[in-house]
Amino acid sequence: MEWIDRFAGLSKLETRLRDTLVSKSQIVTLPRNTTLFGPGKSPENLLLLLDGVVRVQQVTEGGREIVLYRVHAGESCVLTTACLLAYEDYAAEGIAETEVKAVAIPRVVFDDLVAGSKAFRNFVFSAYSRRITELFHVIEEIAFQKIDIRLAHKLVELAGPDLKLSATHAQLAAELGTAREVISRQLQEFQRRGWVATARGAVTLTDMTALQALSETG
């Protein structure tokens, strides 16, 4: 199966456009912790992820990181799409959380297909609209939802089958768009209740039922 068939919207392209897209794109593999893009840089390609995870984050003037979203296999990066469409530079950075395998579609091919193919435009803008909706949800959570509920939800989401996650207080703060001190205080409270056990760079969930119950109150 060709990579293009892994993306439902692209599989609808007519044969001539499919062939153009496949022949003029390149499959790239990037190691973990690679910076794919950063503020002030102009996108040269639209990346479609085949394998791996990319974390897109904003760094404030004070140096605090805020995770905006993650791009998973079968998805594209909405920030790259926006910058390609507007001919603007990036305002955030994308980091490979794992080894990443992706298809790189050059800007000129992207421009031609957006201009000439309704099916490709639908693929681009449907992915764009889904991600924008998710971003509004993130903003709503940061603005209105209590930090204890958000932290409980994030711990449940990130914990592995062994109910452990490797993350510093600063990393959890970046996930939730808050300060490290806020996360530290809340984890201390969760530990006092017997819900978690913390160690350097790690958290173990000791009462998953209580954490899930709290996370669902929002």
Side-chain angles (χ1 to χ4, degrees), residues 18-35:
R18 281 172 57 101
D19 292 343
T20 297
L21 190 56
V22 171
S23 64
K24 293 189 176 181
S25 299
Q26 180 182 4
I27 295 180
V28 297
T29 300
L30 303 167
R32 182 174 179 266
N33 293 327
T34 298
T35 300

Side-chain angles (χ1 to χ4, degrees), residues 2 4-5 10-23 113 117 119:
E2 287 188 304
I4 198 169
D5 293 317
L10 297 183
S11 64
K12 298 175 183 177
L13 291 175
E14 58 183 272
T15 302
R16 176 181 61 84
L17 295 179
R18 281 172 57 101
D19 292 343
T20 297
L21 190 56
V22 171
S23 64
L113 287 175
S117 170

Side-chain angles (χ1 to χ4, degrees), residues 13-213:
L13 291 175
E14 58 183 272
T15 302
R16 176 181 61 84
L17 295 179
R18 281 172 57 101
D19 292 343
T20 297
L21 190 56
V22 171
S23 64
K24 293 189 176 181
S25 299
Q26 180 182 4
I27 295 180
V28 297
T29 300
L30 303 167
R32 182 174 179 266
N33 293 327
T34 298
T35 300
L36 280 69
F37 54 81
K41 296 183 178 180
S42 177
E44 299 178 357
N45 303 280
L46 175 67
L47 291 181
L48 305 180
L49 249 62
L50 298 175
D51 296 296
V53 180
V54 174
R55 181 179 73 253
V56 180
Q57 62 185 28
Q58 184 95 43
V59 181
T60 68
E61 291 185 1
R64 198 174 85 196
E65 297 176 354
I66 300 175
V67 177
L68 301 177
Y69 58 89
R70 285 177 170 81
V71 186
H72 297 86
E75 299 177 342
S76 58
C77 175
V78 66
L79 180 59
T80 300
T81 301
C83 292
L84 284 168
L85 290 170
Y87 286 86
E88 292 184 351
D89 294 340
Y90 287 107
E93 62 182 4
I95 310 292
E97 285 197 329
T98 64
E99 181 179 84
V100 166
K101 184 177 180 181
V103 179
I105 302 173
R107 176 191 282 275
V108 63
V109 177
F110 175 86
D111 288 344
D112 287 346
L113 287 175
V114 166
S117 170
K118 180 180 178 181
F120 187 78
R121 283 197 303 275
N122 287 343
F123 168 77
V124 168
F125 286 110
S126 62
Y128 188 86
S129 63
R130 284 196 303 272
R131 186 64 75 184
I132 289 296
T133 300
E134 292 172 9
L135 281 174
F136 275 118
H137 182 63
V138 170
I139 293 169
E140 181 181 13
E141 284 187 342
I142 292 174
F144 301 113
Q145 198 172 63
K146 293 175 62 178
I147 191 63
D148 58 343
I149 297 173
R150 295 175 58 224
L151 179 57
H153 183 271
K154 185 59 65 175
L155 292 174
V156 171
E157 176 189 332
L158 296 179
D162 58 356
L163 301 184
K164 295 181 180 180
L165 61 147
S166 297
T168 65
H169 293 191
Q171 288 170 331
L172 288 170
E175 293 283 345
L176 297 171
T178 189
R180 181 186 59 80
E181 294 78 7
V182 173
I183 295 300
S184 296
R185 285 196 298 270
Q186 193 59 61
L187 283 173
Q188 287 175 357
E189 175 59 21
F190 284 176
Q191 186 161 265
R192 187 189 66 78
R193 298 180 191 179
W195 295 358
V196 304
T198 61
R200 187 175 182 85
V203 180
T204 301
L205 311 191
T206 53
D207 192 337
M208 174 67 86
T209 301
L211 288 167
Q212 285 179 325

